[in-house]
Amino acid sequence: MTDTPTDPTAAPASTSGPPAGELTLCPLGFEHLAAVLDLGHRVYDTDAMPYTGWSLSAVAGHLDAPDPACFVLLDGDRVAGFVLGSLSFEQRADWGYLEWIAVDPDYQGRGVASRLVRECCARLAEAGAVCVVTDVERRNTASAELMRRNGFAEEASVSLFVRPLADAPATGTDRPRGGSGPRRHLTRAAAERVR
């Protein structure tokens, strides 16, 4: 769900603009896909934890899912934040999964992320989830605190083990950034095999 150096839930230096309560909550729709992908890729460092990179088909797949728990908060036509959730986690059909959440830096620190978490969890509960699971990269302390404030508790720690092959860089922080080297994004299915 959450990644490292770019923090999708931290408060910005300036907090001008509407609070979360004045933003319009809408179910994720086709018209939001480009803005959601753009926002997610702006606020997450997908090189640090590659499975946080999402493709258009991975996000759009939520539109066909039964009992989707995917929302955007809009300031006019602008996506201030989004959350993607689904019913079923791994082999548990009765567990919800809060998969991806991001807030535009201009709206951070105004309760946007908490409102999205609450809406996602409420929808998953209505769909029959007995609990909601999410994952937070260990260095992302702001996202971890967001989850704690919203009733989540740490239940398990999982380490992503990486084995460099051939001439590949040793760690995520050593990988070439930007256009200086190949960049791969795993699909959610591939990520679940890694975890």
Coordinates of all heavy atoms in Angstrom, one line a residue, residues 38-128:
D38 N -1.6 9.2 -12.1 CA -0.7 10.3 -12.0 C -0.4 10.6 -10.5 O 0.8 10.7 -10.2 CB -1.2 11.5 -12.7 CG -0.3 12.7 -12.6 OD1 0.9 12.6 -13.1 OD2 -0.7 13.7 -12.0
L39 N -1.4 10.8 -9.7 CA -1.2 11.1 -8.3 C -0.4 10.0 -7.6 O 0.6 10.3 -6.9 CB -2.5 11.3 -7.6 CG -2.5 11.6 -6.1 CD1 -1.6 12.8 -5.8 CD2 -3.9 11.8 -5.6
G40 N -0.8 8.8 -7.8 CA 0.0 7.7 -7.2 C 1.4 7.6 -7.5 O 2.3 7.4 -6.7
H41 N 1.7 7.9 -8.8 CA 3.1 7.9 -9.2 C 3.9 9.1 -8.8 O 5.1 9.1 -8.7 CB 3.2 7.6 -10.7 CG 2.8 6.2 -11.1 ND1 1.9 6.0 -12.1 CD2 3.2 5.0 -10.6 CE1 1.7 4.7 -12.2 NE2 2.5 4.1 -11.3
R42 N 3.2 10.2 -8.5 CA 3.9 11.4 -8.0 C 4.2 11.3 -6.6 O 5.3 11.8 -6.1 CB 3.0 12.6 -8.2 CG 3.0 13.2 -9.6 CD 2.4 14.6 -9.6 NE 0.9 14.5 -9.5 CZ 0.2 15.2 -8.6 NH1 0.8 16.0 -7.8 NH2 -1.1 15.0 -8.5
V43 N 3.4 10.6 -5.7 CA 3.7 10.6 -4.3 C 4.4 9.4 -3.8 O 4.8 9.4 -2.7 CB 2.4 10.9 -3.5 CG1 1.7 12.2 -3.8 CG2 1.4 9.7 -3.6
Y44 N 4.5 8.4 -4.6 CA 5.2 7.1 -4.2 C 6.5 6.9 -4.9 O 6.6 7.1 -6.1 CB 4.3 5.9 -4.4 CG 3.2 5.8 -3.4 CD1 1.9 6.1 -3.7 CD2 3.5 5.3 -2.1 CE1 0.9 6.0 -2.8 CE2 2.5 5.2 -1.2 CZ 1.2 5.6 -1.5 OH 0.2 5.5 -0.6
D45 N 7.5 6.5 -4.2 CA 8.8 6.1 -4.8 C 8.7 4.6 -5.1 O 9.0 3.8 -4.3 CB 9.9 6.4 -3.8 CG 11.3 6.0 -4.4 OD1 11.4 5.5 -5.5 OD2 12.3 6.1 -3.6
T46 N 8.3 4.3 -6.4 CA 8.1 2.9 -6.7 C 9.4 2.2 -6.9 O 9.4 0.9 -7.0 CB 7.2 2.8 -8.0 OG1 7.8 3.5 -9.0 CG2 5.8 3.4 -7.7
D47 N 10.5 2.9 -7.0 CA 11.8 2.1 -7.1 C 12.2 1.5 -5.8 O 12.9 0.5 -5.7 CB 12.9 3.1 -7.6 CG 12.8 3.4 -9.0 OD1 12.2 2.6 -9.8 OD2 13.3 4.5 -9.4
A48 N 11.7 2.1 -4.7 CA 12.1 1.6 -3.3 C 11.4 0.3 -3.0 O 11.9 -0.6 -2.4 CB 11.8 2.6 -2.3
M49 N 10.2 0.1 -3.5 CA 9.4 -1.1 -3.3 C 8.6 -1.3 -4.5 O 7.5 -0.7 -4.7 CB 8.5 -0.9 -2.1 CG 7.6 -2.1 -1.7 SD 8.4 -3.4 -0.9 CE 8.6 -2.8 0.7
P50 N 9.1 -2.1 -5.4 CA 8.5 -2.1 -6.8 C 7.1 -2.5 -6.9 O 6.4 -2.1 -7.8 CB 9.4 -3.1 -7.5 CG 10.2 -3.8 -6.5 CD 10.2 -3.0 -5.3
Y51 N 6.5 -3.3 -5.9 CA 5.1 -3.6 -6.1 C 4.1 -2.5 -5.8 O 2.9 -2.7 -6.0 CB 4.8 -4.9 -5.3 CG 4.6 -4.8 -3.8 CD1 3.5 -4.3 -3.2 CD2 5.7 -5.3 -3.0 CE1 3.4 -4.2 -1.9 CE2 5.5 -5.2 -1.6 CZ 4.4 -4.7 -1.1 OH 4.3 -4.6 0.3
T52 N 4.6 -1.3 -5.4 CA 3.7 -0.2 -5.3 C 3.5 0.5 -6.6 O 2.7 1.4 -6.7 CB 4.2 0.8 -4.3 OG1 5.5 1.3 -4.7 CG2 4.2 0.2 -2.9
G53 N 4.1 0.1 -7.7 CA 3.9 0.6 -9.0 C 2.6 0.0 -9.6 O 2.5 -1.3 -9.6
W54 N 1.7 0.8 -10.0 CA 0.4 0.2 -10.5 C 0.3 0.6 -11.9 O 0.7 1.6 -12.4 CB -0.7 0.9 -9.7 CG -0.9 0.3 -8.3 CD1 0.0 0.5 -7.3 CD2 -2.0 -0.4 -7.8 NE1 -0.5 -0.1 -6.2 CE2 -1.7 -0.7 -6.5 CE3 -3.1 -0.9 -8.4 CZ2 -2.6 -1.4 -5.7 CZ3 -4.0 -1.6 -7.6 CH2 -3.7 -1.9 -6.3
S55 N -0.4 -0.3 -12.7 CA -0.6 -0.1 -14.1 C -2.1 0.4 -14.3 O -2.9 0.2 -13.3 CB -0.4 -1.4 -14.9 OG -1.4 -2.3 -14.5
L56 N -2.4 0.9 -15.4 CA -3.7 1.3 -15.7 C -4.7 0.1 -15.6 O -5.8 0.2 -15.0 CB -3.8 1.8 -17.2 CG -5.2 2.2 -17.7 CD1 -5.9 3.2 -16.8 CD2 -5.2 2.6 -19.1
S57 N -4.3 -1.1 -16.1 CA -5.2 -2.3 -16.0 C -5.4 -2.7 -14.5 O -6.5 -3.1 -14.2 CB -4.7 -3.4 -16.8 OG -3.4 -3.8 -16.4
A58 N -4.4 -2.6 -13.7 CA -4.5 -2.9 -12.3 C -5.5 -2.0 -11.6 O -6.4 -2.5 -10.8 CB -3.2 -2.9 -11.6
V59 N -5.5 -0.7 -11.8 CA -6.4 0.2 -11.2 C -7.8 0.0 -11.8 O -8.8 -0.1 -11.1 CB -5.9 1.7 -11.4 CG1 -7.0 2.6 -10.8 CG2 -4.6 1.9 -10.6
A60 N -7.9 0.0 -13.1 CA -9.2 -0.2 -13.8 C -9.9 -1.5 -13.4 O -11.1 -1.5 -13.4 CB -9.0 -0.1 -15.3
G61 N -9.1 -2.5 -13.1 CA -9.7 -3.8 -12.7 C -10.6 -3.6 -11.5 O -11.6 -4.4 -11.3
H62 N -10.4 -2.6 -10.7 CA -11.3 -2.4 -9.5 C -12.7 -2.0 -10.0 O -13.6 -2.1 -9.2 CB -10.7 -1.4 -8.6 CG -9.5 -1.9 -7.9 ND1 -8.2 -2.0 -8.4 CD2 -9.4 -2.3 -6.6 CE1 -7.4 -2.5 -7.5 NE2 -8.1 -2.7 -6.4
L63 N -12.8 -1.4 -11.1 CA -14.1 -1.0 -11.6 C -15.1 -2.1 -11.9 O -16.3 -2.0 -11.8 CB -14.0 -0.1 -12.8 CG -13.2 1.2 -12.6 CD1 -13.0 1.9 -14.0 CD2 -13.9 2.1 -11.6
D64 N -14.5 -3.3 -12.2 CA -15.3 -4.5 -12.5 C -15.4 -5.4 -11.3 O -16.2 -6.4 -11.3 CB -14.7 -5.3 -13.6 CG -14.9 -4.6 -15.0 OD1 -15.9 -3.9 -15.1 OD2 -14.0 -4.8 -15.8
A65 N -14.7 -5.1 -10.2 CA -14.7 -6.0 -9.0 C -16.1 -5.9 -8.3 O -16.7 -4.9 -8.2 CB -13.6 -5.5 -8.1
P66 N -16.5 -7.1 -7.8 CA -17.7 -7.0 -6.9 C -17.4 -6.3 -5.6 O -16.2 -6.4 -5.1 CB -18.0 -8.5 -6.7 CG -16.7 -9.2 -6.9 CD -15.9 -8.4 -7.9
D67 N -18.3 -5.6 -5.1 CA -18.1 -4.9 -3.8 C -16.9 -4.0 -3.8 O -16.1 -4.1 -2.8 CB -18.1 -5.9 -2.6 CG -19.3 -6.7 -2.6 OD1 -20.4 -6.1 -2.7 OD2 -19.2 -7.9 -2.5
P68 N -16.6 -3.1 -4.8 CA -15.4 -2.3 -4.7 C -15.5 -1.3 -3.6 O -16.6 -0.9 -3.2 CB -15.4 -1.6 -6.1 CG -16.9 -1.5 -6.4 CD -17.5 -2.8 -5.9
A69 N -14.4 -1.0 -3.0 CA -14.3 0.0 -1.9 C -13.2 1.0 -2.4 O -12.2 1.3 -1.7 CB -13.9 -0.7 -0.6
C70 N -13.5 1.6 -3.5 CA -12.5 2.5 -4.2 C -13.2 3.9 -4.3 O -14.3 4.0 -4.9 CB -12.1 2.0 -5.6 SG -11.5 0.4 -5.5
F71 N -12.5 4.9 -3.8 CA -13.1 6.3 -3.8 C -12.1 7.3 -4.2 O -10.9 7.1 -4.0 CB -13.6 6.6 -2.4 CG -14.7 5.7 -1.9 CD1 -14.4 4.6 -1.1 CD2 -16.0 6.0 -2.2 CE1 -15.4 3.8 -0.6 CE2 -17.0 5.1 -1.8 CZ -16.8 4.0 -1.0
V72 N -12.6 8.4 -4.6 CA -11.8 9.6 -4.8 C -12.4 10.8 -4.0 O -13.7 10.8 -3.9 CB -11.6 10.0 -6.3 CG1 -10.8 9.0 -7.1 CG2 -13.0 10.3 -7.0
L73 N -11.6 11.7 -3.5 CA -12.1 12.9 -3.0 C -11.8 14.0 -4.0 O -10.6 14.2 -4.4 CB -11.5 13.2 -1.6 CG -12.2 12.6 -0.4 CD1 -11.3 12.8 0.9 CD2 -13.5 13.1 -0.2
L74 N -12.8 14.8 -4.4 CA -12.6 15.8 -5.4 C -12.7 17.2 -4.9 O -13.6 17.5 -4.1 CB -13.6 15.6 -6.5 CG -13.7 14.2 -7.2 CD1 -14.9 14.1 -8.2 CD2 -12.4 14.0 -8.0
D75 N -11.9 18.1 -5.4 CA -12.0 19.5 -5.2 C -12.4 20.0 -6.6 O -11.5 20.3 -7.4 CB -10.7 20.1 -4.7 CG -10.8 21.6 -4.4 OD1 -11.9 22.1 -4.5 OD2 -9.8 22.1 -4.0
G76 N -13.6 20.2 -6.9 CA -14.1 20.4 -8.2 C -13.8 19.2 -9.1 O -14.3 18.1 -8.8
D77 N -13.0 19.3 -10.1 CA -12.6 18.2 -11.0 C -11.3 17.6 -10.6 O -10.9 16.6 -11.1 CB -12.6 18.6 -12.4 CG -13.9 18.9 -13.0 OD1 -14.9 18.4 -12.5 OD2 -14.0 19.7 -14.0
R78 N -10.6 18.2 -9.6 CA -9.3 17.8 -9.2 C -9.3 16.7 -8.2 O -10.0 16.8 -7.2 CB -8.5 19.0 -8.7 CG -7.1 18.7 -8.3 CD -6.4 19.9 -7.8 NE -5.0 19.6 -7.4 CZ -4.2 20.5 -6.8 NH1 -4.6 21.7 -6.6 NH2 -3.0 20.1 -6.4
V79 N -8.6 15.6 -8.4 CA -8.5 14.5 -7.4 C -7.5 14.9 -6.3 O -6.3 15.1 -6.5 CB -8.0 13.2 -8.1 CG1 -7.8 12.1 -7.1 CG2 -9.1 12.7 -9.1
A80 N -8.1 15.1 -5.1 CA -7.3 15.5 -4.0 C -6.7 14.3 -3.3 O -5.7 14.3 -2.6 CB -8.2 16.3 -3.0
G81 N -7.4 13.1 -3.4 CA -6.9 11.9 -2.9 C -7.7 10.7 -3.4 O -8.8 10.9 -3.9
F82 N -7.2 9.5 -3.2 CA -7.9 8.3 -3.6 C -7.6 7.2 -2.7 O -6.5 7.2 -2.0 CB -7.6 7.9 -5.0 CG -6.3 7.4 -5.3 CD1 -5.9 6.1 -5.1 CD2 -5.2 8.3 -5.7 CE1 -4.7 5.6 -5.3 CE2 -4.0 7.8 -5.9 CZ -3.7 6.4 -5.7
V83 N -8.4 6.2 -2.7 CA -8.2 4.9 -2.0 C -8.7 3.8 -2.8 O -9.8 3.9 -3.5 CB -8.8 4.9 -0.6 CG1 -10.3 4.9 -0.6 CG2 -8.3 3.7 0.2
L84 N -8.0 2.7 -2.9 CA -8.4 1.5 -3.6 C -8.5 0.4 -2.6 O -7.5 0.1 -1.9 CB -7.4 1.1 -4.7 CG -7.1 2.1 -5.8 CD1 -6.1 1.5 -6.8 CD2 -8.4 2.5 -6.5
G85 N -9.7 -0.2 -2.5 CA -9.8 -1.4 -1.6 C -10.6 -2.5 -2.3 O -11.4 -2.2 -3.2
S86 N -10.5 -3.7 -1.8 CA -11.2 -4.8 -2.3 C -11.6 -5.8 -1.3 O -10.9 -5.9 -0.2 CB -10.4 -5.5 -3.4 OG -9.2 -6.0 -2.9
L87 N -12.6 -6.6 -1.5 CA -13.0 -7.6 -0.6 C -12.2 -8.9 -1.0 O -12.4 -9.4 -2.1 CB -14.5 -7.9 -0.7 CG -15.1 -8.8 0.3 CD1 -14.8 -8.3 1.8 CD2 -16.6 -9.0 0.2
S88 N -11.5 -9.4 -0.1 CA -10.7 -10.6 -0.2 C -9.2 -10.2 -0.2 O -8.7 -9.3 -0.9 CB -11.0 -11.5 -1.4 OG -10.4 -11.0 -2.6
F89 N -8.5 -10.9 0.7 CA -7.1 -10.7 0.8 C -6.4 -12.1 0.8 O -6.8 -12.9 1.7 CB -6.7 -10.0 2.1 CG -5.3 -9.9 2.4 CD1 -4.5 -9.0 1.7 CD2 -4.7 -10.7 3.4 CE1 -3.1 -8.9 2.0 CE2 -3.3 -10.6 3.6 CZ -2.5 -9.7 2.9
E90 N -5.5 -12.3 -0.1 CA -4.9 -13.6 -0.3 C -6.0 -14.6 -0.4 O -6.8 -14.5 -1.2 CB -3.9 -13.9 0.9 CG -2.8 -12.9 1.1 CD -1.8 -12.9 -0.1 OE1 -1.6 -14.0 -0.6 OE2 -1.2 -11.9 -0.3
Q91 N -6.0 -15.6 0.5 CA -7.0 -16.7 0.4 C -8.2 -16.4 1.3 O -9.0 -17.3 1.4 CB -6.4 -18.0 0.7 CG -5.2 -18.4 -0.1 CD -5.5 -18.4 -1.6 OE1 -6.6 -19.0 -2.0 NE2 -4.8 -17.8 -2.5
R92 N -8.3 -15.3 1.9 CA -9.4 -15.0 2.8 C -10.5 -14.1 2.2 O -10.3 -12.9 2.0 CB -8.9 -14.2 4.1 CG -7.9 -15.0 4.9 CD -8.6 -16.2 5.7 NE -9.8 -15.8 6.4 CZ -9.8 -15.6 7.7 NH1 -8.7 -15.9 8.4 NH2 -10.9 -15.3 8.3
A93 N -11.6 -14.7 1.8 CA -12.7 -14.0 1.2 C -13.4 -13.1 2.1 O -14.1 -12.2 1.7 CB -13.7 -15.0 0.5
D94 N -13.2 -13.3 3.4 CA -13.9 -12.5 4.4 C -13.0 -11.3 5.0 O -13.3 -10.7 5.9 CB -14.4 -13.3 5.6 CG -13.3 -14.1 6.3 OD1 -12.2 -14.2 5.8 OD2 -13.6 -14.6 7.4
W95 N -11.8 -11.1 4.4 CA -10.9 -10.0 4.8 C -10.9 -9.0 3.7 O -10.7 -9.3 2.5 CB -9.5 -10.5 5.0 CG -9.3 -11.3 6.3 CD1 -10.2 -11.9 7.1 CD2 -8.0 -11.6 6.9 NE1 -9.6 -12.5 8.2 CE2 -8.3 -12.4 8.0 CE3 -6.7 -11.4 6.5 CZ2 -7.3 -12.9 8.8 CZ3 -5.7 -11.9 7.3 CH2 -6.0 -12.6 8.5
G96 N -11.0 -7.8 4.1 CA -10.9 -6.7 3.1 C -9.4 -6.3 3.0 O -8.6 -6.6 3.9
Y97 N -9.1 -5.6 1.9 CA -7.7 -5.2 1.6 C -7.7 -3.8 1.2 O -8.3 -3.4 0.2 CB -7.1 -6.1 0.6 CG -5.7 -5.9 0.3 CD1 -4.8 -5.4 1.2 CD2 -5.1 -6.2 -1.0 CE1 -3.4 -5.3 1.0 CE2 -3.8 -6.0 -1.3 CZ -2.9 -5.6 -0.3 OH -1.6 -5.4 -0.6
L98 N -7.1 -2.9 2.0 CA -6.9 -1.5 1.6 C -5.6 -1.5 0.9 O -4.5 -1.7 1.5 CB -6.9 -0.6 2.9 CG -6.9 0.9 2.6 CD1 -7.4 1.6 3.9 CD2 -5.7 1.5 2.2
E99 N -5.6 -1.4 -0.4 CA -4.5 -1.7 -1.3 C -3.6 -0.5 -1.6 O -2.4 -0.6 -1.6 CB -5.0 -2.2 -2.6 CG -5.8 -3.5 -2.5 CD -6.4 -4.0 -3.8 OE1 -5.6 -4.0 -4.8 OE2 -7.6 -4.3 -3.8
W100 N -4.2 0.7 -1.9 CA -3.4 1.8 -2.3 C -4.2 3.1 -1.9 O -5.4 3.2 -2.1 CB -3.2 1.8 -3.8 CG -2.1 2.5 -4.3 CD1 -0.9 2.8 -3.7 CD2 -1.9 3.0 -5.6 NE1 -0.1 3.5 -4.5 CE2 -0.6 3.6 -5.7 CE3 -2.7 3.0 -6.8 CZ2 -0.1 4.2 -6.9 CZ3 -2.2 3.6 -7.9 CH2 -0.9 4.2 -8.0
I101 N -3.5 4.0 -1.3 CA -4.1 5.3 -0.9 C -3.0 6.4 -1.1 O -1.8 6.2 -0.9 CB -4.5 5.3 0.6 CG1 -5.2 6.6 1.0 CG2 -3.4 5.0 1.5 CD1 -5.9 6.5 2.3
A102 N -3.5 7.5 -1.6 CA -2.6 8.6 -1.9 C -3.4 9.9 -1.7 O -4.5 10.0 -2.1 CB -1.9 8.5 -3.2
V103 N -2.7 10.9 -1.3 CA -3.2 12.3 -1.1 C -2.3 13.3 -1.8 O -1.1 13.2 -1.6 CB -3.4 12.7 0.3 CG1 -3.9 14.1 0.5 CG2 -4.4 11.7 1.0
D104 N -2.9 14.1 -2.7 CA -2.1 15.2 -3.3 C -1.4 16.0 -2.3 O -2.0 16.4 -1.3 CB -3.1 16.0 -4.1 CG -2.4 17.1 -5.0 OD1 -1.6 17.9 -4.4 OD2 -2.6 17.1 -6.2
P105 N -0.1 16.3 -2.5 CA 0.6 17.1 -1.5 C -0.1 18.4 -1.1 O 0.0 18.9 0.0 CB 2.0 17.4 -2.2 CG 2.2 16.2 -3.0 CD 0.8 15.9 -3.6
D106 N -0.8 19.0 -2.0 CA -1.5 20.3 -1.7 C -2.7 20.1 -0.7 O -3.2 21.0 -0.2 CB -2.1 20.9 -3.0 CG -1.0 21.5 -3.9 OD1 0.1 21.7 -3.4 OD2 -1.3 21.7 -5.1
Y107 N -3.1 18.8 -0.5 CA -4.2 18.5 0.4 C -3.8 17.7 1.7 O -4.7 17.4 2.5 CB -5.3 17.8 -0.4 CG -5.9 18.6 -1.5 CD1 -5.3 18.6 -2.7 CD2 -7.0 19.4 -1.3 CE1 -5.8 19.4 -3.8 CE2 -7.6 20.1 -2.3 CZ -7.0 20.1 -3.5 OH -7.5 20.9 -4.5
Q108 N -2.5 17.4 1.8 CA -2.1 16.6 2.9 C -2.2 17.5 4.2 O -2.1 18.7 4.2 CB -0.6 16.2 2.7 CG -0.6 15.1 1.6 CD 0.8 14.7 1.2 OE1 1.8 15.2 1.8 NE2 1.0 13.8 0.3
G109 N -2.5 16.8 5.3 CA -2.6 17.4 6.6 C -4.0 18.0 6.9 O -4.1 18.8 7.8
R110 N -5.0 17.6 6.1 CA -6.3 18.1 6.3 C -7.4 17.1 6.5 O -8.5 17.3 6.4 CB -6.7 18.9 5.0 CG -5.8 20.1 4.7 CD -6.4 20.9 3.6 NE -5.3 21.7 3.1 CZ -5.1 22.1 1.9 NH1 -5.9 21.7 1.0 NH2 -4.1 22.9 1.6
G111 N -6.9 15.9 6.9 CA -7.9 14.8 7.1 C -8.3 14.0 5.9 O -9.2 13.2 6.0
V112 N -7.7 14.3 4.8 CA -8.2 13.6 3.5 C -7.9 12.1 3.6 O -8.8 11.3 3.3 CB -7.5 14.2 2.3 CG1 -7.7 13.4 1.1 CG2 -7.9 15.7 2.1
A113 N -6.7 11.7 4.1 CA -6.3 10.3 4.1 C -7.2 9.6 5.1 O -7.7 8.5 4.8 CB -4.9 10.1 4.5
S114 N -7.5 10.1 6.3 CA -8.3 9.5 7.3 C -9.7 9.3 6.8 O -10.4 8.3 7.0 CB -8.3 10.3 8.6 OG -7.1 10.1 9.3
R115 N -10.3 10.3 6.1 CA -11.6 10.2 5.5 C -11.7 9.0 4.5 O -12.6 8.2 4.5 CB -12.1 11.5 4.9 CG -13.5 11.4 4.4 CD -14.0 12.7 3.9 NE -15.3 12.6 3.3 CZ -15.9 13.5 2.5 NH1 -15.3 14.7 2.3 NH2 -17.1 13.3 2.0
L116 N -10.7 8.9 3.7 CA -10.6 7.9 2.7 C -10.5 6.5 3.3 O -11.2 5.5 2.9 CB -9.5 8.1 1.7 CG -9.7 9.2 0.7 CD1 -8.4 9.6 0.0 CD2 -10.7 8.9 -0.3
V117 N -9.7 6.4 4.4 CA -9.5 5.1 5.1 C -10.9 4.7 5.7 O -11.3 3.6 5.6 CB -8.4 5.2 6.2 CG1 -8.5 4.0 7.1 CG2 -7.1 5.3 5.5
R118 N -11.6 5.6 6.4 CA -12.8 5.3 7.0 C -13.9 4.9 6.0 O -14.6 3.9 6.2 CB -13.4 6.5 7.8 CG -12.6 6.8 9.0 CD -13.3 7.8 9.9 NE -13.5 9.1 9.2 CZ -12.7 10.1 9.2 NH1 -11.5 10.0 9.9 NH2 -13.0 11.3 8.6
E119 N -13.9 5.6 4.8 CA -14.9 5.2 3.8 C -14.6 3.9 3.2 O -15.6 3.1 3.0 CB -14.9 6.3 2.7 CG -15.5 7.6 3.1 CD -16.9 7.7 3.4 OE1 -17.7 6.7 3.0 OE2 -17.4 8.6 4.1
C120 N -13.4 3.6 2.9 CA -13.0 2.3 2.4 C -13.4 1.2 3.4 O -14.0 0.2 3.0 CB -11.5 2.3 2.1 SG -10.9 0.7 1.4
C121 N -13.0 1.3 4.7 CA -13.3 0.3 5.7 C -14.8 0.1 5.8 O -15.3 -1.0 6.0 CB -12.6 0.7 7.0 SG -10.8 0.5 6.9
A122 N -15.6 1.2 5.8 CA -17.0 1.1 6.0 C -17.6 0.3 4.8 O -18.5 -0.6 5.0 CB -17.7 2.5 6.1
R123 N -17.2 0.6 3.6 CA -17.7 -0.1 2.4 C -17.3 -1.6 2.5 O -18.1 -2.5 2.2 CB -17.1 0.5 1.2 CG -17.6 -0.2 -0.1 CD -19.1 -0.2 -0.3 NE -19.6 1.2 -0.4 CZ -19.8 1.9 -1.5 NH1 -19.4 1.4 -2.7 NH2 -20.3 3.1 -1.4
L124 N -16.1 -1.9 2.9 CA -15.7 -3.3 3.0 C -16.5 -4.0 4.1 O -16.9 -5.2 4.0 CB -14.2 -3.4 3.3 CG -13.3 -3.0 2.2 CD1 -11.8 -2.8 2.6 CD2 -13.4 -3.9 1.0
A125 N -16.8 -3.4 5.2 CA -17.6 -4.0 6.3 C -19.0 -4.3 5.8 O -19.6 -5.3 6.0 CB -17.7 -3.0 7.5
E126 N -19.6 -3.3 5.0 CA -20.9 -3.5 4.4 C -20.9 -4.8 3.5 O -21.9 -5.4 3.3 CB -21.3 -2.3 3.6 CG -21.7 -1.1 4.4 CD -21.9 0.1 3.6 OE1 -22.0 0.0 2.3 OE2 -22.0 1.2 4.2
A127 N -19.8 -5.0 2.8 CA -19.7 -6.1 1.9 C -19.4 -7.4 2.6 O -19.3 -8.5 1.9 CB -18.6 -5.8 0.9
G128 N -19.2 -7.4 3.9 CA -19.0 -8.7 4.6 C -17.6 -8.9 5.2 O -17.3 -10.0 5.7

